[in-house]
Amino acid sequence: MSGDASRGAVVNGDVLKGEGPVGIDELLERVRAGYARVEAREAYEAARTGEALLVDIRYAALRERDGLIPGALVVERNELEWRLDPRGSHRVPEATGHDLRIVVICNEGYASSLAAASLHRLGLDRATDLVGGFQAWRSAGLPVTY
């Protein structure tokens, strides 16, 4: 990864300290530089073959309106770290270890980037997010249930 501390490079999912405030667009750029995001078809194949756990962090109203991705684990954003921390007392059974590949999915691929960065801080270094979120999944014609 390139960048220097004076511009706030991302290291282990954290923006380096010692600088002024940043806007959300710059923050997203920085956190996304710390991992490889995935496209909808790649996420679908990784889940289908058991190589990745899809985690839908959309809130209930969006899931009710737009549907669900079959097989995706639903964990609302405010519970994500507690449910996926392999050491946590509130973890889901799927949170089997720090080597788990997780693809976080929000509605359009913004909140999921910040969520993936947060999972990196927990040591879940294979966490990533879906470019374009659920809307990209649906636009790609991938399975959705209602």
Side-chain angles (χ1 to χ4, degrees):
M1 174 178 44
S2 64
D4 61 31
S6 65
R7 294 213 55 238
V10 179
V11 176
N12 295 328
D14 284 327
V15 176
L16 295 176
K17 308 290 182 204
E19 64 180 68
V22 298
I24 188 61
D25 292 332
E26 186 175 350
L27 179 61
L28 280 170
E29 183 180 319
R30 291 178 187 188
V31 299
R32 288 172 174 168
Y35 62 91
R37 302 178 77 209
V38 297
E39 299 287 338
R41 291 236 175 253
E42 180 183 352
Y44 172 76
E45 286 301 319
R48 188 183 67 74
T49 60
E51 295 173 23
L53 174 66
L54 303 182
V55 179
D56 186 343
I57 64 169
R58 295 175 300 142
Y59 53 90
L62 287 176
R63 295 191 311 268
E64 290 168 11
R65 182 188 79 189
D66 294 337
L68 298 168
I69 295 172
L73 177 66
V74 174
V75 178
E76 291 200 20
R77 176 63 189 99
N78 64 326
E79 298 180 351
L80 186 69
E81 292 82 359
W82 285 268
R83 299 291 187 224
L84 293 181
D85 177 4
R87 297 180 184 172
S89 60
H90 299 299
R91 71 178 178 83
V92 293
E94 293 87 349
T96 56
H98 285 92
D99 61 341
L100 181 64
R101 183 174 183 208
I102 299 166
V103 178
V104 183
I105 302 166
C106 68
N107 194 48
E108 294 181 344
Y110 296 100
S112 57
S113 294
L114 299 176
S118 182
L119 294 177
H120 279 236
R121 287 191 294 276
L122 286 176
L124 294 160
D125 295 332
R126 296 184 69 209
T128 186
D129 75 312
L130 179 62
V131 176
F134 179 85
Q135 297 307 320
W137 179 279
R138 186 168 64 178
S139 292
L142 295 169
V144 174
T145 60
Y146 293 91

